[in-house]
Amino acid sequence: GQQLNQSPQSMFIQEGEDVSMNCTSSSIFNTWLWYKQDPGEGPVLLIALYKAGELTSNGRLTAQFGITRKDSFLNISASIPSDVGIYFCAGRGYGQNFVFGPGTRLSVLP
Amino acid sequence: GAGVSQSPSNKVTEKGKDVELRCDPISGHTALYWYRQSLGQGLEFLIYFQGNSAPDKSGLPSDRFSAERTGGSVSTLTIQRTQQEDSAVYLCASSLGSRAGQETQYFGPGTRLLVL
């Protein structure tokens, strides 16, 4: 079945640093979604991507739909303490259900 | 407008008891999903409802798990004869539809289930 890998699994960064994480799939996807989950909360949608090569921003967040359609990237610029949380990618192939990655755990040090 | 709501927010039960978890999707959303999230883990797909179509139950881990969606709106996930390994956060999500551009899922806050 479809599987998603997220990298890195966890990261510790200094406040103000930029963050990059990625998600790779074993198969082609038509849609990529990026979510953030705070402790004790449900995931909240950050960015949705629908087209290969698409680059979409949401404030300090930028995500890209990889050209191969097997990967996606999320960048966070100038990180702040409230960026702490788990970032999940999710992808969907044609006629398939969404598959979620295992998450990247981000910690921001003051 | 109101987002996805779930109840109860927390549930503690004894092994062997049945539990019912409720999800109220966003009004007008035809698709509804249930996921399970164990501590520190990603999301495990359980079941998917789309309109009046037969639900996709391919993710249900055993026949102790079942779900209904009445009137195309509220959904109930039932776990019979709960086991300790059922302890997890159960998340519900809804989307406008299943076609491209409508499929973005919006999540509720989850129900935290603890089976003693």
Side-chain angles (χ1 to χ4, degrees), chain B residues 7 17 34 37 43 49 53 64 66 70 81-82 87 93 111:
Chain B
S7 61
K17 295 280 179 74
W34 283 99
Q37 186 177 32
L43 278 67
F49 296 89
S53 303
R64 296 186 296 105
S66 62
T70 53
R81 305 181 303 281
T82 52
S87 297
T111 293

Side-chain angles (χ1 to χ4, degrees), chain A residues 26-82:
Chain A
S26 57
S27 55
I28 289 174
F29 283 163
N30 295 326
T31 303
W32 285 98
L33 306 175
W34 283 93
Y35 289 87
K36 177 178 182 254
Q37 186 175 30
D38 292 328
E41 304 290 330
V44 173
L45 181 70
L46 299 174
I47 294 178
L49 302 162
Y50 299 104
K51 202 172 174 180
E54 181 180 356
L55 187 70
T56 298
S57 293
N58 178 7
R60 293 178 296 106
L61 278 62
T62 302
Q64 183 163 25
F65 192 139
I67 292 292
T68 66
R69 295 170 62 192
K70 291 187 176 183
D71 55 12
S72 180
F73 307 89
L74 177 70
N75 296 314
I76 306 173
S77 63
S79 58
I80 59 178
S82 62

Side-chain angles (χ1 to χ4, degrees), chain B residues 31-105:
Chain B
L32 187 147
Y33 308 78
W34 283 99
Y35 295 89
R36 180 169 68 176
Q37 186 177 32
S38 299
L39 188 63
Q41 301 298 313
L43 278 67
E44 175 189 2
F45 167 76
L46 296 177
I47 189 169
Y48 160 53
F49 296 89
Q50 172 56 60
N52 296 322
S53 303
D56 177 353
K57 305 179 183 180
S58 60
L60 294 178
S62 77
D63 58 8
R64 296 186 296 105
F65 288 72
S66 62
E68 290 185 344
R69 189 177 185 195
T70 53
S73 182
V74 171
S75 177
T76 302
L77 177 69
T78 302
I79 309 173
Q80 296 178 309
R81 305 181 303 281
T82 52
Q83 303 293 313
Q84 288 180 330
E85 61 263 28
D86 298 335
S87 297
V89 176
Y90 289 82
L91 290 161
C92 174
S94 70
S95 66
L96 193 58
S98 59
R99 288 188 271 181
Q102 298 181 333
E103 62 204 327
T104 302
Q105 295 179 32

